[in-house]
Amino acid sequence: MKFAEFYQRSIDTPEQFWRDEATLIDWNTPYTQVLDYSRPPFAKWFVGGQTNLCHNAVDRWCATQGEQAALIAISTETNTEKTYSFNELKTEVERCAAVMLALGVGRGDRVLIYMPMIAEAAFAMLACARIGAIHSVVFGGFAANSLASRIDDAKPVLIVSADAGSRNGKAIPYKHLLDEAIDLSAAKPAKVLLVDRGLAPMALVEGRDVDYATLRAAHLDASVAVTWLESNEPSYILYTSGTTGKPKGVQRDVGGYAVALASSMKYNFCGKAGETFFATSDIGWVVGHSYIVYGPLIAGMATIMYEGLPICPDAGIWWSIVEKYKVTRMFSAPTAIRVLRKQPPEFMRKYDLSSLRALYLAGEPLDETTSQWISDELGVPIIDNYWQTETGWPILSIAKGVEDKPTRLGSPGVAMYGYKVKLLNESTGEECGANEKGVVVIDGPLPPGCMQTVYGDDQRFVDTYWNTFSGQQVYSTFDWGVRDADGYYFILGRTDDVINVAGHRLGTREIEESISSHANVSEVAVVGVEDKLKGQVAIAFAIVKHPEQIATAEGRQALEREIMGVVDHQLGAVARPARVYFVPQLPKTRSGKLLRRSIQAICEGRNPGDLTAIEDPASLQQIKSALLV
Ligand code: AMP
């Protein structure tokens, strides 16, 4: 079938289109209405239908392929490797669910999961899904303050964590960060469930902390029935950075998400039951939710959960996994491929990669050099896909499962089924023509699988995403884009103060707030600056309270280190700026708005743009001078 026809059907007759797609999953009770859009922009999909993500990901496959591999947990950090069949996965999930029930977790309760990439993290997510608890996974690289703000917002009854993660053979203790986060937060969880990997010492808090292995042992024969949920009950919250310091809780439903994942596994990722999928992301990010845990399993595929670096023990590790487990579909990020490109190609060529059918890349712009290089090396299609935490599955890509349409270098592809994507002129709000730059927006209703709302704050959902253009209610992606005459889009960066470091989305406001907490910082601006490897890195410009501390090069270096330490401690190393420069003032408009875009332009050697509104033009020169020091 031609993709254009397929797409058009999804736009012209969405209810028929998604009714067909809904047959890809199991329903315990059929839905009575495909779409309820009576309260735009809030869309309800498959109203009245009852289903369950865990049932569709696990139980459903036990009947037909129970002995086949479901979850393959590999850690090159601890040198462990274990395959769980669908039957074994079900058993482990039931044990974990029984433990959660014993700890008082019920339907609709929040469970915060702060875990490294170990099998227990997937068990915990699936266990929540099974009993109707709402999980909120927080990336293991985030530290105390980031964690505390998420605890305060989600108000979990239970936190599931571990003694430590591991990076490059070094344990990264989690427990003290977690304790500190709980101390900082107002919404203290009743219980903390801890997986002890034996990597770092861990003191259990009496009455609150419980050891997973002990409780699991008490529930070895547990049988926990699936809780059937109405399609629109929340399945999870995943926090993402925005333009304010307060992260947004992206809330997702059950039925729409399951259907969207099943469809995307079929049309985008061409996944077949019994084959193996390998997404190299982390469960803390949306790719981990959609394409490590739920998507592949819903499609009956085995999924690989990998803890470790792409170049340890050597740069062949991922390819050895592809060979060993006959991976057919692999999903990664451009940054990782850029890292591999710096390594000798022999590592890749050593392995039999004949099982691999395609490599999917997402999370940040895919540059042509990287795309061409990996395409030449692997000899399989490289499929870029553009989406966001908010949408849960690709907005733009090439759906090879529908039509073998060619990809175009530099473009993630065309609008995916269900998404009414268009470009609007930022100032006039008018629709852009071919090759005209505009803001990428989507007309409501958003298709199944996309966020339902901002957790606990419907108004924030409307105000943040749907009110960018006066007089028209459209969902803004906050990305710039252009579309060519054939409908291929090109993404040109964010319209807001969100930056993308190695495919990880960070809000500059959050980093600024953290740096400002240093006793000697009076003001700071953080911008994202182009970087060959990571796409972007954060660079900070700070004004100090006591200039004597930075009078010497040693003083400046020491303060820079201290500030980086503050960010490491509060937000995690993932948010640490690559450099901190000191300036006497920051460029601002006369109304006091920070000119981050101009600072960024200077850092990238570009023209700082229209500066008629600047308060003091000398401040730009000061930024330039700081960069030279
Ligand atoms: P996240 O919510 O962390 O997945 O980040 C979403 C943002 O990452 C998007 O709004 C884009 O700015 C960027 N992004 C994701 N995928 C792509 C892609 N394939 N090409 C260009 N930018 C992308």
Side-chain angles (χ1 to χ4, degrees):
M1 189 200 277
K2 286 279 179 231
F3 180 77
E5 213 178 287
F6 182 77
Y7 174 76
Q8 211 48 50
R9 195 165 75 79
S10 77
I11 300 303
D12 295 344
T13 51
E15 301 199 20
Q16 272 173 35
F17 181 91
W18 289 109
R19 181 177 290 126
D20 291 347
E21 293 310 305
T23 59
L24 292 173
I25 67 156
D26 277 359
W27 296 88
N28 186 52
T29 309
Y31 48 86
T32 49
Q33 197 182 354
V34 178
L35 168 67
D36 172 1
Y37 201 47
S38 56
R39 193 168 73 99
F42 300 93
K44 286 181 165 185
W45 289 97
F46 309 113
V47 182
Q50 290 194 345
T51 185
N52 183 288
L53 278 166
C54 180
H55 166 83
N56 278 289
V58 185
D59 300 46
R60 180 185 179 201
W61 300 104
C62 289
T64 50
Q65 51 180 66
E67 298 305 322
Q68 284 188 33
L71 179 72
I72 302 164
I74 303 171
S75 172
T76 49
E77 296 289 332
T78 54
N79 287 320
T80 49
E81 201 161 316
K82 188 167 161 98
T83 297
Y84 298 85
S85 66
F86 279 95
N87 287 338
E88 286 164 337
L89 180 58
K90 179 167 176 279
T91 303
E92 287 302 339
V93 170
E94 286 190 88
R95 287 170 181 165
C96 188
V99 168
M100 287 184 183
L101 291 173
L103 293 175
V105 178
R107 180 174 185 163
D109 285 343
R110 275 81 51 222
V111 174
L112 190 140
I113 299 174
Y114 180 58
M115 298 274 269
M117 285 288 286
I118 54 175
E120 286 81 357
F123 303 158
M125 290 169 76
L126 290 162
C128 287
R130 188 170 194 87
I131 62 173
I134 303 168
H135 61 66
S136 180
V137 183
V138 177
F139 175 56
F142 283 135
N145 287 44
S146 302
L147 196 48
S149 64
R150 286 153 175 83
I151 295 174
D152 274 338
D153 196 75
K155 301 186 180 52
V157 297
L158 172 72
I159 295 184
V160 187
S161 190
D163 56 341
S166 180
R167 198 176 157 79
N168 213 1
K170 215 174 118 226
I172 317 269
Y174 280 14
K175 180 62 168 48
H176 70 285
L177 291 174
L178 180 59
D179 286 341
E180 196 181 328
I182 295 175
D183 278 348
L184 286 170
S185 65
K188 307 208 187 304
K191 294 285 174 197
V192 175
L193 181 61
L194 292 151
V195 175
D196 190 354
R197 309 176 72 195
L199 295 179
M202 175 164 69
L204 299 191
V205 174
E206 181 97 31
R208 186 195 74 183
D209 296 354
V210 281
D211 173 56
Y212 182 63
T214 313
L215 287 188
R216 176 183 170 276
H219 293 93
L220 286 183
D221 302 321
S223 156
V224 177
V226 158
T227 301
W228 298 107
L229 303 167
E230 198 277 335
S231 178
N232 291 278
E233 285 184 57
S235 58
Y236 70 74
I237 308 165
L238 179 57
Y239 287 90
T240 188
S241 301
T243 44
T244 65
K246 190 175 183 276
K248 288 184 290 264
V250 167
Q251 180 186 311
R252 200 148 268 136
D253 68 355
V254 176
Y257 187 49
V259 171
L261 290 182
S263 303
S264 65
M265 286 307 299
K266 180 174 172 188
Y267 305 120
N268 292 76
F269 301 104
C270 308
K272 292 202 175 60
E275 292 184 353
T276 306
F277 198 85
F278 179 17
T280 67
S281 184
D282 187 285
I283 48 150
W285 309 115
V286 70
V287 177
H289 285 63
S290 293
Y291 299 112
I292 294 177
V293 179
Y294 293 114
L297 294 174
I298 285 175
M301 297 180 83
T303 185
I304 291 177
M305 215 170 153
Y306 173 73
E307 181 189 45
L309 299 176
I311 50 170
C312 270
D314 62 46
I317 180 62
W318 283 359
W319 314 112
S320 75
I321 292 174
V322 170
E323 177 185 275
K324 179 166 178 190
Y325 293 100
K326 301 201 171 27
V327 171
T328 56
R329 310 275 158 182
M330 188 166 167
F331 191 137
S332 193
T335 299
I337 306 302
R338 286 193 290 266
V339 167
L340 292 175
R341 194 171 150 237
K342 294 186 143 208
Q343 307 289 323
E346 291 77 71
F347 285 115
M348 189 179 287
R349 296 179 188 155
K350 239 164 74 180
Y351 298 96
D352 175 6
L353 305 181
S354 57
S355 60
L356 197 64
R357 295 275 166 274
L359 173 69
Y360 300 85
L361 297 173
E364 57 182 312
L366 172 61
D367 58 283
E368 297 183 13
T369 322
T370 306
S371 177
Q372 195 61 62
W373 174 77
I374 190 72
S375 165
D376 291 345
E377 281 299 323
L378 293 178
V380 297
I382 306 301
I383 302 170
D384 191 0
N385 51 117
Y386 159 87
W387 46 297
Q388 310 181 301
T389 305
E390 288 83 348
T391 67
W393 62 285
I395 304 169
L396 302 173
S397 192
I398 298 295
K400 295 271 186 191
V402 181
E403 182 194 352
D404 192 11
K405 229 172 126 73
T407 54
R408 229 163 246 192
L409 273 184
S411 162
V414 300
M416 285 297 96
Y417 42 98
Y419 287 103
K420 286 182 259 181
V421 185
K422 57 188 191 185
L423 295 165
L424 295 185
N425 179 296
E426 195 195 26
S427 19
T428 64
E430 276 167 34
E431 209 170 329
C432 301
N435 302 315
E436 253 181 79
K437 178 177 168 178
V439 180
V440 181
V441 303
I442 306 167
D443 268 334
L446 294 177
C450 293
M451 74 187 290
Q452 297 180 289
T453 187
V454 170
Y455 178 68
D457 200 345
D458 283 354
Q459 196 54 46
R460 192 169 174 206
F461 174 61
V462 178
D463 292 346
T464 306
Y465 296 103
W466 298 87
N467 277 349
T468 312
F469 293 93
S470 64
Q472 44 181 333
Q473 197 178 52
V474 288
Y475 170 87
S476 177
T477 61
F478 299 101
D479 281 305
W480 293 110
V482 289
R483 185 184 54 233
D484 68 15
D486 302 319
Y488 284 75
Y489 283 79
F490 295 79
I491 299 297
L492 308 172
R494 297 281 301 192
T495 65
D496 59 8
D497 294 322
V498 164
I499 63 172
N500 193 316
V501 179
H504 300 157
R505 175 165 155 187
L506 301 168
T508 50
R509 284 290 313 142
E510 257 175 291
I511 307 175
E512 285 170 2
E513 277 177 23
S514 172
I515 294 178
S516 300
S517 72
H518 186 284
N520 196 9
V521 172
S522 67
E523 230 186 310
V524 64
V526 171
V527 296
V529 175
E530 210 173 86
D531 180 82
K532 281 207 161 52
L533 197 63
K534 297 182 171 180
Q536 279 189 315
V537 289
I539 303 284
F541 292 88
I543 304 176
V544 296
K545 288 182 189 154
H546 309 290
E548 52 294 354
Q549 200 188 341
I550 54 163
T552 62
E554 292 75 36
R556 274 195 299 276
Q557 282 159 13
L559 186 56
E560 181 174 16
R561 274 198 304 276
E562 274 177 37
I563 290 174
M564 289 180 175
V566 168
V567 177
D568 274 9
H569 180 74
Q570 294 188 355
L571 304 181
V574 64
R576 181 200 305 153
R579 285 300 312 267
V580 183
Y581 295 104
F582 301 102
V583 286
Q585 60 178 338
L586 289 166
K588 286 186 181 166
T589 61
R590 290 197 190 93
S591 57
K593 208 167 173 284
L594 254 179
L595 287 163
R596 289 196 189 80
R597 242 18 88 79
S598 306
I599 303 176
Q600 181 191 41
I602 292 173
C603 293
E604 293 179 350
R606 291 182 285 112
N607 186 319
D610 176 14
L611 294 171
T612 39
I614 195 167
E615 171 74 21
D616 184 354
S619 56
L620 292 177
Q621 192 50 50
Q622 289 160 359
I623 296 278
K624 277 188 198 157
S625 313
L627 290 171
L628 299 174
V629 175

